[in-house]
């Protein structure tokens, strides 16, 4: 089979040749020839999407592509062959494990170990109450990912690296050579031992669950932490009485009058069912409003009214809306819900301050300018956020307590420098209108797997059953400082894994970077400094599926397998569904799992006890997750019961340890179906109205804050963030000028703001090497029509984007969907540095972003400034026309 796969991924067999072959060869070749030849289907889907129907194509209109990317325009003869292939194969639930939040159903038709076709959910009839969990273009392209020609097959080493002379300056531009697993693991073990002997365990930085688990057995390693997707929703919510996931469930949302989507684009960021949930709310009569620098596909599908707002200026806009709500109310209580404010919050006005607080430091007086002389009215806010005065006043009317409103925020607006009080301001705005704890009302973030369908999970997975192993090293570096710490030897320690203490400047001396499961060089702030850090240290090793950014800048790369090659895993789709995947294909070539890699590495450390590393097999771990899965009972009790019925025969067949149990679905049926989904209908008692009990009885159901209430004034929040030492905030929401935010565009050479939308070509950075997706989604830089005219830029021109931290080249896409003064650089494209010029030609957003530390250590990806101009050098090719990263000519062993 490997020879067959080798021929297929190398393009040596055409689709036409396959159709002329024997039935057996046809069955095998079909899957991988589709991998390489079925680009037209993805392109067609994408062409429709780029005309404003992207999100629809990933939800309701996905019915037109229910058989995935199979070639629907092929001749009847081919169709007959494929039908024959399907009759000989088996449909297997295939993992779609990437971090987009969609978590959709993908099934693979496997014939003799080869994936022939893919399809999505057909386990039950589709309906709004009981929707199928349909896959998006990313999930449907995974054959091109798993069986791609750029798949790493065996361990590789940089040609000019040696233990005695690493030539770190050549990382990222050196040639490669294939080595054996024993050679690779010996090199890695020797470098780890050398670093520990000479510099101690603190000198090793390790990332990835299995990598860190290994290091925890030999004395620990330095780690990093960050706010990642959540931004300031990481620390702020629990200190003010909210959470990072406060949305209503999808059926409760349909009772709203309005849904305000502050920075949401589920059609791109969480493709799959989330946008479908919003679409059902629209059909129920909910009116949508989008507040955003970008009129995106989700707003188009929902026919949302667009209110433009500059990146990072959301807090200023919300403050202006709050002021105008006060003016509309004029003390009558017709707009502002004073009953809710007075009973459920502290800090809004002088009469309702926390005990011991200065009554003059209340939010209402800040709005009115009682003490600073500046009224924070719509005109004040408009100057900062770019929204019109009329739009700001309009939002104030919509947020009146007379209307039922779902005030939703994405996490994106909180991925900004100095955004620590944005979650507090959003909470305040919702509290003023009383949009808490009532049907059709909610306030807070709704993202990732819970987008448009909030609430506690109705199905829960069990644990893998591995014992916890502590890290003896407490060094934990915030992501905004990580590469600077490697380069300078100093960082601000604020606690193990977050802001947990006052800042403490520490020395650190990193000599080894070990990348397990992560894309941290590509996906964290300050990539320019990160590349410098990778070239500075003694040794870099990476587990990788392809030659991604972290692998490109390594010395040794260890080929890791995919979830399709493992026994299975559990994935949460949303609160109503859980996916249980199975092995799709044997491990390809020399690729191995992360657990196998570190287990083999452990054998090279005989003086350490690894009895708790993996005392049970990966298959036993998966079984434990299934056996421990629970589902909510249908009796309204709110209690959970086992999901899977497991028999002695099931346990014996799997060769694992366990106890028989009774559940709601047979073990084998669960794996055959690949999922379990809780049916829903209106009035089923499974709805989620956040804060309902708290609103009805705030004293009996207090929040976990000092006051027991929602804290518009939170001394705890201010003290915690201010003690970290990066920047300071007030206990109540105020406007704070952002580092490299809008106001910085007026100061010098960088008159534009950079905005980083998630993009359908990839999930963060994963899948960016997939050829189907690269052809379908070209990854331009978006520039407003008026800005392009001023710069004499036309669509298709190669343009140079320059920030204080780096430079990149992209093709321009001139559009009216981004506001003037803002350029859109899609998030996650793999860096591709031209070593002669130092300019990135790959479109990497984090080349432009710097490692800037503020507040709670937020990675401020949407707070970035730049200049953009037509490039005077050689035009760059389309990404699909670039050669794939093929490090060596493989010798199969």
């Amino acid at each position: 089979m490997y020879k067959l796969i080798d021929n297929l991924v190398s393009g040596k067999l055409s689709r036409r040749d396959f159709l002329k072959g024997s039935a057996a060869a046809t069955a095998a070749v079909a899957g991988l020839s589709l991998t390489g030849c079925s680009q037209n289907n993805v392109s067609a889907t994408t062409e429709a999407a780029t005309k404003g129907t992207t999100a629809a194509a990933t939800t309701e209109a996905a019915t037109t592509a229910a058989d995935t990317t199979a070639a629907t325009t092929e001749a009847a003869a081919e169709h007959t062959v494929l039908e024959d292939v399907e009759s000989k194969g088996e449909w297997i639930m295939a993992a779609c494990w990437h971090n987009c939040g969609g978590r959709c159903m993908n099934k693979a038709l496997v014939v003799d170990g080869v994936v022939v076709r893919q399809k999505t959910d057909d386990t039950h009839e589709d309906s709004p109450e009981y929707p199928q969990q349909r896959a998006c273009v990313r999930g449907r392209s995974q054959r091109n990912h798993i069986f791609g020609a750029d798949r790493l097959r065996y361990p590789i080493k940089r040609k000019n690296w040696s233990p005695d002379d690493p030539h770190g300056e050549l990382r990222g531009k050196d040639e490669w050579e294939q080595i054996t697993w024993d050679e690779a693991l010996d090199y890695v073990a020797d470098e780890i031992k050398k670093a520990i002997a000479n510099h101690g365990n603190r000198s090793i930085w390790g990332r990835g669950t299995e990598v860190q688990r290994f290091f925890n057995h030999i004395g620990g390693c330095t780690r990093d932490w960050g706010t990642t997707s959540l931004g300031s929703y990481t620390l702020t919510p629990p200190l003010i009485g909210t959470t990072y996931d406060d949305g209503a469930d999808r059926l409760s949302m349909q009772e709203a009058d309005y849904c305000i989507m502050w920075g949401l684009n589920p059609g791109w960021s969480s493709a799959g069912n989330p946008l479908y949930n919003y679409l059902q709310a629209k059909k129920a009569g909910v009116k949508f409003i989008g507040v955003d620098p970008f009129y995106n596909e989700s707003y188009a599908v929902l026919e949302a009214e667009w209110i433009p707002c500059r990146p990072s200026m959301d807090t200023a806009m919300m403050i202006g809306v709050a002021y105008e709500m006060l003016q509309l109310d004029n003390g009558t209580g017709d707009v502002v819900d004073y009953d809710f404010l007075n009973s459920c919050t502290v800090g809004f006005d002088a009469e309702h301050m926390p005990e011991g607080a200065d009554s003059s430091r209340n939010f209402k007086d800040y709005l009115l300018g009682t003490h600073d002389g500046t009224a924070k009215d719509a005109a004040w806010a408009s100057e900062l956020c770019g929204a019109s005065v009329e739009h700001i006043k309009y939002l104030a009317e919509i947020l009146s307590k007379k209307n039922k409103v779902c005030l939703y925020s994405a996490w994106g607006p909180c991925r900004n420098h100095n955004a620590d009080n944005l979650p507090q301001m959003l909470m305040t705005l919702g509290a003023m209108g009383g949009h808490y704890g009532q049907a059709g009302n909610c306030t807070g973030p709704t993202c990732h797997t819970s987008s448009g369908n909030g609430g506690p999970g109705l199905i829960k997975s069990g644990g893998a059953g591995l014992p916890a192993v502590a890290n003896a090293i407490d060094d934990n570096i915030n992501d905004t400082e990580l590469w600077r710490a490697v380069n300078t030897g100093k960082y601000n320690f604020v606690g193990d894994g977050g802001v947990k203490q006052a800042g403490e400047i520490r020395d650190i001396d990193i000599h080894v970077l070990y990348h397990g499961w992560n894309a941290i060089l590509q996906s964290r702030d300050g990539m320019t400094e990160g590349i410098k850090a990778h070239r500075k240290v003694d040794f870099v090793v990476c587990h990788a599926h392809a030659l991604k950014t972290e692998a490109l800048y390594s010395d040794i790369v260890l080929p890791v397998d995919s979830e399709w090659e493992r026994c299975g895993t559990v994935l949460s789709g949303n609160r109503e569904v859980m996916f249980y995947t199975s092995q799709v294909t044997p491990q390809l070539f020399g690729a191995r799992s992360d657990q196998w890699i570190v287990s083999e590495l452990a054998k090279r450390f005989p003086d350490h006890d690894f009895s708790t590393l993996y005392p049970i097999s990966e298959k036993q771990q998966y079984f434990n997750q299934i056996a421990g899965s629970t589902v909510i009972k249908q009796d309204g009790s709110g209690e959970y019961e086992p999901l899977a019925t497991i028999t002695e025969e099931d346990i014996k067949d799997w060769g694992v340890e366990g106890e028989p149990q009774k559940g709601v679905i047979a073990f084998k049926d669960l794996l055959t179906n690949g999922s379990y989904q809780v049916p829903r209908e209106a009035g089923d008692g499974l709805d989620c109205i956040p804060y309902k009990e708290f609103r009805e009885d705030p004293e009996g159901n207090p929040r976990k804050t000092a006051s027991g209430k929602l804290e518009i004034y939170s001394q705890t929040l201010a003290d915690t963030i201010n003690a970290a030492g990066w920047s300071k905030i007030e206990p109540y929401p105020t406007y704070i000028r952002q580092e490299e935010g809008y106001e910085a565009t007026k100061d010098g050479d960088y008159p534009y703001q950079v905005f980083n939308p998630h993009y359908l070509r990839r999930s963060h950075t994963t899948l960016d090497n997939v050829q189907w997706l690269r052809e379908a989604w070209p990854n331009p830089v978006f520039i407003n029509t008026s800005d392009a005219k001023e710069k004499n830029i036309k669509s298709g021109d190669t343009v140079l984007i320059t920030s204080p931290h780096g430079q990149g080249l992209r093709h321009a896409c001139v559009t009216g969907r981004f506001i003037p003064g803002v350029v859109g650089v899609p998030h996650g494209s793999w860096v591709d540095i031209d070593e002669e010029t130092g300019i990135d030609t790959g479109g990497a957003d984090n080349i432009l972003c710097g490692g800037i530390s503020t507040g709670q250590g937020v990675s401020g990806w949407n707070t970035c400034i730049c200049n953009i101009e037509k490039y005077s050098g050689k035009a760059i090719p389309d990404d699909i026309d670039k050669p794939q990263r093929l490090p060596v000519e493989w010798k199969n062993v």
Side-chain angles (χ1 to χ4, degrees), residues 707-724:
S707 65
K709 300 184 178 183
L710 300 177
E711 296 198 347
I712 298 172
Y713 182 105
S714 174
Q715 194 64 53
T716 303
L717 175 65
D719 290 347
T720 302
I721 289 176
N722 295 344

Side-chain angles (χ1 to χ4, degrees), residues 225 235 476 493-503 720 723-724 726 856:
W225 68 274
L235 174 66
N476 214 328
F493 178 76
V494 294
D496 190 358
V499 180
K500 299 176 180 178
Q501 65 169 63
T720 302
W726 285 310
Q856 60 194 264

Side-chain angles (χ1 to χ4, degrees), residues 611-667:
S611 60
T612 56
L613 182 61
Y614 298 112
I616 57 176
S617 68
E618 293 186 57
K619 191 170 187 178
Q620 180 72 59
Q621 294 169 44
Y622 183 32
F623 177 83
N624 292 345
Q625 290 180 294
I626 300 172
S629 293
T630 56
V631 62
I632 197 163
K633 291 183 177 180
Q634 297 294 311
D635 58 8
S637 66
E639 297 179 350
Y640 289 75
E641 60 184 327
L643 174 63
T645 293
I646 301 175
T647 66
E648 290 279 10
E649 183 182 359
D650 294 326
I651 296 169
K652 182 179 179 181
D653 287 347
W654 263 50
V656 295
E657 296 182 0
E659 297 292 333
Q661 65 182 38
K662 183 174 178 54
V664 300
I665 182 174
F667 180 79

Side-chain angles (χ1 to χ4, degrees), residues 478-740:
N478 179 252
D479 287 344
T480 65
E481 292 192 321
L482 178 59
W483 307 131
R484 188 162 65 249
V486 175
N487 290 326
T488 67
K490 292 185 180 298
Y491 80 102
N492 184 26
F493 178 76
V494 294
D496 190 358
V499 180
K500 299 176 180 178
Q501 65 169 63
E504 167 195 335
I505 302 300
R506 285 188 177 183
D507 294 328
I508 195 75
D509 186 18
I510 301 294
H511 287 261
V512 172
L513 300 175
Y514 195 136
H515 294 277
W517 178 84
N518 75 79
I520 195 167
L521 176 58
Q522 178 66 58
S523 64
R524 296 299 188 270
D525 337 40
M527 192 188 299
T528 300
E529 197 164 15
I531 291 172
K532 179 181 176 183
H534 278 69
R535 288 174 171 166
K536 173 182 180 292
V537 297
D538 297 336
F539 182 65
V540 186
V541 59
C542 180
H543 299 188
H545 179 93
L547 202 61
K548 62 179 184 174
T549 301
E550 293 70 26
L552 185 66
Y553 288 91
S554 292
D555 302 313
I556 303 289
V557 183
L558 307 177
V560 70
D561 64 6
S562 70
E563 291 291 351
W564 282 23
E565 298 154 72
R566 300 178 185 178
C567 60
T569 190
V570 181
L571 298 167
S572 61
N574 52 62
R575 70 187 299 249
E576 299 166 13
V577 66
M578 197 75 75
F579 298 114
Y580 297 84
T581 72
S582 297
Q583 185 171 2
V584 173
T585 185
Q587 284 182 326
L588 299 179
F589 308 106
R592 297 292 182 263
S593 73
D594 297 283
Q595 290 194 16
W596 182 91
I597 293 171
V598 300
S599 295
E600 290 297 307
L601 195 58
K603 294 176 182 178
R604 289 156 171 82
F605 290 80
D607 295 335
H608 294 273
D609 179 10
F610 287 98
S611 60
T612 56
L613 182 61
Y614 298 112
I616 57 176
S617 68
E618 293 186 57
K619 191 170 187 178
Q620 180 72 59
Q621 294 169 44
Y622 183 32
F623 177 83
N624 292 345
Q625 290 180 294
I626 300 172
S629 293
T630 56
V631 62
I632 197 163
K633 291 183 177 180
Q634 297 294 311
D635 58 8
S637 66
E639 297 179 350
Y640 289 75
E641 60 184 327
L643 174 63
T645 293
I646 301 175
T647 66
E648 290 279 10
E649 183 182 359
D650 294 326
I651 296 169
K652 182 179 179 181
D653 287 347
W654 263 50
V656 295
E657 296 182 0
E659 297 292 333
Q661 65 182 38
K662 183 174 178 54
V664 300
I665 182 174
F667 180 79
K668 291 179 181 178
D669 290 343
L670 179 63
L671 292 175
T672 299
N673 294 341
S675 69
Y676 186 84
Q677 182 175 343
V678 176
R680 293 291 316 279
E681 61 181 18
D684 60 9
L686 301 178
D687 56 332
C688 173
I689 302 175
Y691 301 88
K692 183 176 184 294
E693 292 77 12
F694 171 67
R695 182 185 184 111
E696 292 171 350
D697 182 8
E699 300 298 328
N701 299 283
R703 306 304 296 171
K704 294 180 180 179
T705 59
S707 65
K709 300 184 178 183
L710 300 177
E711 296 198 347
I712 298 172
Y713 182 105
S714 174
Q715 194 64 53
T716 303
L717 175 65
D719 290 347
T720 302
I721 289 176
N722 295 344
W726 285 310
S727 63
K728 293 188 178 298
I729 67 168
E730 294 288 345
Y732 52 92
T734 64
Y735 170 70
I736 303 170
R737 174 171 171 152
Q738 299 84 28
E739 294 288 332
E740 295 193 4

Side-chain angles (χ1 to χ4, degrees), residues 125-144:
E125 292 295 322
D126 189 41
S127 70
E129 292 77 20
Y130 191 36
Q132 295 174 345
Q133 305 296 316
R134 296 178 182 169
C136 76
V137 294
R138 289 187 287 232
R140 296 166 189 263
S141 74
Q142 284 193 116
R143 282 171 296 162
N144 195 252

Side-chain angles (χ1 to χ4, degrees), residues 201-202 215-221 223 469-475 496:
N201 284 67
R202 294 180 73 229
F215 278 115
N216 290 354
H217 281 81
I218 62 170
C221 66
R223 292 159 293 155
V469 184
N471 189 344
I473 303 298
D474 72 345
D475 285 286
D496 190 358

Side-chain angles (χ1 to χ4, degrees), residues 30 56 110 180 296 338 348 380 531-532 545-546 554 587 627 663 699 890:
V110 181
T180 68
N296 60 52
Y338 286 105
F348 180 74
W380 170 88
I531 291 172
K532 179 181 176 183
H545 179 93
S554 292
Q587 284 182 326
E699 300 298 328
W890 298 107

